[in-house]
Amino acid sequence: MAEVEEQGRKLSEESTDESEEEDTEEEPKLKYERLTNGVTEVLQKDAASCMTVHDKFLALGTYFGKVYLLDIQGNVTQKFEISSVKINQISLDESGEHVGICSEDGKVQVFGLYTREGFHENFDCPIKVVALHPQFSKSNNKQFVTGGNKLLLYERNWLNRWKTSVLHEGEGNITSVKWRANLIAWANNVGVKIYDISSKQRITNVLRDNTSLRPDMYPCSLCWKDNATLIIGWGSSVKICVVKERDPTEMRDLPSRYVEIVSAFETEFFISGLAPLADQLVTLYYVKENSEHMEEEFRTRPRLDIIQPLAEGCEEISSDALTVRNFQENQCRDYRLEHSEGESLFYIISPKDIVVAKERDQDDHIDWLLEKKKYEEALMAAEISFKNIKRHDVQKIGMAYINHLVERGDYDAAARKCQKVLGKNMDLWENEVYRFKTIGQLKAISQYLPRGDLRLRPAIYEMILHEFLKTDYEGFATLIREWPGELYNNMAIVQAVNEHLKKDPTNSILLTTLAELYTYDQRYDRALEIYLKLRHKDVYQLIHKHNLFPSIKDKIVLLMDFDKEKAVDMLLDNEDKISMDKVVEELKDRPELLHVYLHKLFKRDHHKGQKYHERQISLYAEFDRPNLLPFLRESMHCPLEKALEICQQRHFVEETVFLLSRMGNCRRALQMIMEELADVDKAIEFAKEQDDRELWEDLISYSIDKPPFITGLLNNIGTHVDPILLIHRIKEGMEIPNLRDSLVKILQDYNLQILLREGCKKILVADSLSLLQRMHRTQKRGVRVDENICESCHTPVLPSDTAQAFGVVVFHCRHMVHKECLPSPGNVPGIQYCNICSAKRRGPGSGILEMKK
């Protein structure tokens, strides 16, 4: 078998361009092995002439007239002495219970392997082919055909006698026959015919292409792919034919079926056998010595190719040259290709050798990948097929891959694969760690070591940490951050770090790492000291995580020097642990820090730090003037006199103006705006806010001799003060910038006011009319009355004699009175009110008084 596979590899290598690298070689599609055991002994004394394949067993015919039944391993299970000359063909039915045999001396035998029934006949000419009905074991399908110089059909009738029919003759010897379902296909010297046993009609005649080849030397190969597809191989020609049902409207005198050739193409070599493989073909080629397509040493080896048929050609998928025994002596007719439909098994039969080809499975695929050193792909394939894997240990494949990577110098990739390959095997892990130490590559494997529930011995991790500590401080710090502290002896590593710090006491990387080690060891005070010394960003996280607030009461200034914002947020968020008074006390000598703290406190709550608002005035004035005025506006606890004093001392005009106005001295505030700020817009805005006529008078008086101020007033005063008051006071002849534009704006503002008034008037009139109409409609409605007594005289409102004229008044309050009982209308002529309801609104006795009137 190794010899066969080696020849296949050589062919593949020879057919590849010399310039291509080895890793471009395509993987074979098939694998081969010789059929041995009993077959070997048989072929040493005899030679194979034919063979047929069943899913359960094999039937081998020899040149000495014997038939052997073999198991699939090649062991002989049964032997039949049929003739003294060559067995030409053996046929089995689908059940494997009946066999048909024909020989060169004209003998034909059909018998049951497990019954006594049989047919024996001797003909006066060689019988080349025999084929049983696929369902021969069934009583109504006792049929078979034989072929010599004519094709005969044998059928057993109801009297248990065999009836013979000639299906075809006159075109030379029958060289091949294949029976599938109701279709019989056979080949003679002229071509291939197909006979429909159900309709008893011959439905096609496919002529052979190359008539120059002798049919006995280059016999036709027939193969049914399914019940309707016949594959024909003859010489170097291949045709794929499909049997189809004819449209009933087109039949007339034609057969009910017809054949369509769906693919036809020429091959490079002569065909000795065909077999289907899914939608592809397996072809056995005979290669003549004088072929120019192969190198000298391969010229007569048979080839087994897989090809993909196309409409007008084919595509070669794979090709293997097979070194069968005595191949130098064989002709095209000496080779046969048989296949098992149950499995993808292909049998290459030659007189002295039988080779079995089968599709390569996942194990074969992995073997090939390993052979080509494609370890990554082999490992992936092994993992995918782990449940079905037969020969491979995934871990062994992985170790081979790791060794290959190490030999190549790709240490990081090798270490990364350890994680996947070594898995939970701690012994293998330790071995690999020591191997990486030996080659000086501990750093490469460090980041992939187990660190979960499964762990190595602490000494392994400590060895790696010591290695990093000697050569790579940053790498050492990374491992300390990433590895759980329980992987190693923490105190031993702390001691080692301290030894290194004696040589380099200011090394920030080592100090930070030492703080992390102290943190894991719950010595938080030591860690906090280091973090504060380094001003490390993790100091706040450390304080929060381990509640170290009692330890930082005397370190508030250090924390704020490091990061004011984070420190203040932390202090304010934890007032229950560090009081506001304690923080103020600690920061009393650092007013700039105290201001930051109190400012944030005030932003969070305007009332919480009210006792410090007086101090905050000075702090804002000193360190944060932009926020002083907002503070004065928002604080309700700020002493105004103190604030005014500070602002006046520092000449803060805007703040002073605000304080003066808040204290009620608006005229002085306006004066400061006009005199010190000289900002007419701000003065006008201030006057608008206060809405005080005297302030407007002061503003006009101050501005009357200042043309720019007059312009500002003219532009803004129109909606608050009558502009005529200002215009009358302007001195004649005074030049005022943009006077025309200002006057135009005044007129526009006036027109706008007029328009607004007219619009409001129209809306008011429309609304009044709408309401009046609604009231009129309401008053015109009928009023439901529950009682019929006059509210004035307390007698029925309706007279006993309805024919008599009467008058009744009903108020909207549903009180009724006789018309003659109505009191005088009062002050408004024509308007009468309900006396009872009016009395209720005016108080006791009012109704009576009105009645007296």
Side-chain angles (χ1 to χ4, degrees), residues 118 153 230 392 793:
L153 171 66
L230 177 66
H392 292 99
C793 65

Side-chain angles (χ1 to χ4, degrees), residues 390-406:
K390 299 174 182 175
R391 299 193 301 268
H392 292 99
D393 184 334
V394 175
Q395 202 166 68
K396 288 182 180 179
I397 295 172
M399 288 304 300
Y401 186 24
I402 291 171
N403 294 336
H404 170 70
L405 292 172
V406 170

Side-chain angles (χ1 to χ4, degrees), residues 502-521:
K502 290 178 181 178
K503 304 172 187 175
D504 188 4
T506 60
N507 189 291
S508 60
I509 296 175
L510 287 182
L511 286 170
T512 302
T513 308
L514 183 60
E516 292 173 359
L517 291 168
Y518 280 140
T519 300
Y520 178 75
D521 208 27

Side-chain angles (χ1 to χ4, degrees), residues 151-170:
L151 186 68
L152 299 177
L153 171 66
Y154 291 83
E155 300 177 276
R156 194 161 68 181
N157 59 24
W158 62 279
L159 294 175
N160 210 27
R161 295 179 181 177
W162 293 97
K163 174 187 173 184
T164 307
S165 305
V166 177
L167 298 183
H168 188 71
E169 64 180 334

Side-chain angles (χ1 to χ4, degrees), residues 273-454:
L274 293 166
L277 177 62
D279 61 339
Q280 299 172 340
L281 285 181
V282 178
T283 56
L284 177 63
Y285 290 130
Y286 167 70
V287 183
K288 293 184 68 173
E289 285 187 6
N290 60 357
S291 172
E292 300 177 358
H293 299 284
M294 300 294 293
E295 296 295 333
E296 183 65 26
E297 59 174 315
F298 293 109
R299 282 184 178 174
T300 56
R301 289 186 179 87
R303 273 179 46 166
L304 192 70
D305 286 12
I306 298 176
I307 60 176
Q308 178 67 60
L310 305 174
E312 298 181 355
C314 66
E315 177 185 355
E316 182 181 292
I317 306 301
S318 71
S319 179
D320 297 321
L322 308 178
T323 305
V324 297
R325 294 189 183 101
N326 296 348
F327 66 86
Q328 301 90 341
E329 303 171 9
N330 295 336
Q331 298 293 327
C332 183
R333 64 183 178 181
D334 294 324
Y335 294 108
R336 294 184 181 227
L337 178 64
E338 299 289 340
H339 75 285
S340 171
E341 294 186 5
E343 300 180 58
S344 296
L345 295 175
F346 305 93
Y347 295 84
I348 298 94
I349 301 106
S350 68
K352 287 297 182 180
D353 206 356
I354 299 176
V355 175
V356 184
K358 62 177 68 175
E359 282 191 283
R360 295 169 65 86
D361 58 19
Q362 189 72 352
D363 285 301
D364 300 309
H365 174 58
I366 295 170
D367 279 337
W368 185 81
L369 291 172
L370 291 173
E371 180 184 338
K372 300 304 176 185
K373 295 186 177 181
K374 298 182 177 183
Y375 296 101
E376 178 75 20
E377 296 176 43
L379 188 59
M380 290 176 62
E383 289 172 347
I384 292 171
S385 61
F386 179 74
K387 291 183 179 178
N388 301 318
I389 205 161
K390 299 174 182 175
R391 299 193 301 268
H392 292 99
D393 184 334
V394 175
Q395 202 166 68
K396 288 182 180 179
I397 295 172
M399 288 304 300
Y401 186 24
I402 291 171
N403 294 336
H404 170 70
L405 292 172
V406 170
E407 291 170 4
R408 203 171 67 185
D410 194 350
Y411 302 113
D412 185 70
R416 188 166 57 253
K417 287 300 166 191
C418 287
Q419 206 169 25
K420 179 185 289 187
V421 173
L422 305 183
K424 300 178 181 180
N425 192 324
M426 296 299 107
D427 292 335
L428 283 179
W429 266 111
E430 291 199 6
N431 291 339
E432 286 304 304
V433 171
Y434 282 115
R435 176 164 77 152
F436 273 73
K437 181 179 186 300
T438 303
I439 60 178
Q441 293 296 327
L442 274 179
K443 291 182 180 179
I445 201 172
S446 63
Q447 57 183 315
Y448 303 109
L449 293 182
R451 60 184 77 170
D453 295 334
L454 293 171

Side-chain angles (χ1 to χ4, degrees), residues 569-751:
D569 287 339
M570 181 185 68
L571 292 170
L572 292 176
D573 291 339
N574 297 274
E575 283 187 64
D576 56 328
K577 297 166 185 172
I578 302 179
S579 68
M580 176 178 59
D581 294 336
K582 176 63 179 174
V583 175
V584 173
E585 177 65 23
E586 287 292 320
L587 298 176
K588 64 183 180 181
D589 296 328
R590 295 289 300 275
E592 75 281 6
L593 300 179
L594 178 60
H595 165 68
V596 174
Y597 173 77
L598 290 176
H599 173 64
K600 279 214 167 189
L601 175 64
F602 178 74
K603 284 296 183 184
R604 288 197 180 192
D605 189 333
H606 291 351
H607 307 289
K608 186 173 286 187
Q610 57 182 305
K611 62 181 177 180
Y612 299 112
H613 284 196
E614 181 176 348
R615 185 185 300 187
Q616 281 187 268
I617 299 170
S618 301
L619 293 175
Y620 276 111
E622 181 69 26
F623 303 108
D624 190 9
R625 185 190 169 185
N627 280 314
L628 174 57
L629 186 55
F631 170 73
L632 295 174
R633 291 181 186 276
E634 295 170 11
S635 172
M636 303 299 295
H637 311 286
C638 177
L640 299 180
E641 294 82 1
K642 180 67 174 177
L644 182 61
E645 180 184 348
I646 293 173
C647 291
Q648 287 177 338
Q649 288 174 355
R650 294 177 175 268
H651 302 290
F652 292 169
V653 178
E654 291 187 14
E655 291 81 355
T656 302
V657 167
F658 168 74
L659 290 170
L660 287 171
S661 64
R662 187 168 173 183
M663 295 169 71
N665 196 350
C666 296
R667 301 185 75 175
R668 174 61 183 145
L670 179 62
Q671 183 182 357
M672 288 191 68
I673 295 173
M674 300 296 288
E675 293 179 355
E676 299 190 30
L677 295 179
D679 189 338
V680 67
D681 293 328
K682 192 176 288 285
I684 293 170
E685 188 65 32
F686 181 78
K688 288 179 181 179
E689 289 177 1
Q690 303 303 319
D691 195 19
D692 185 341
R693 188 171 185 83
E694 291 183 2
L695 281 182
W696 284 109
E697 288 289 340
D698 291 345
L699 180 56
I700 292 171
S701 299
Y702 183 81
S703 305
I704 202 65
D705 58 348
K706 300 176 179 63
F709 277 42
I710 293 175
T711 302
L713 283 172
L714 289 172
N715 286 334
N716 295 279
I717 202 172
T719 55
H720 295 272
V721 179
D722 187 353
I724 298 299
L725 297 176
L726 174 62
I727 294 172
H728 284 167
R729 296 176 64 177
I730 299 174
K731 294 179 181 179
E732 214 173 305
M734 178 183 288
E735 287 191 16
I736 300 173
N738 302 317
L739 177 59
R740 188 192 64 175
D741 295 339
S742 299
L743 293 175
V744 169
K745 187 175 184 305
I746 288 172
L747 293 174
Q748 288 174 344
D749 289 345
Y750 179 75
N751 287 334

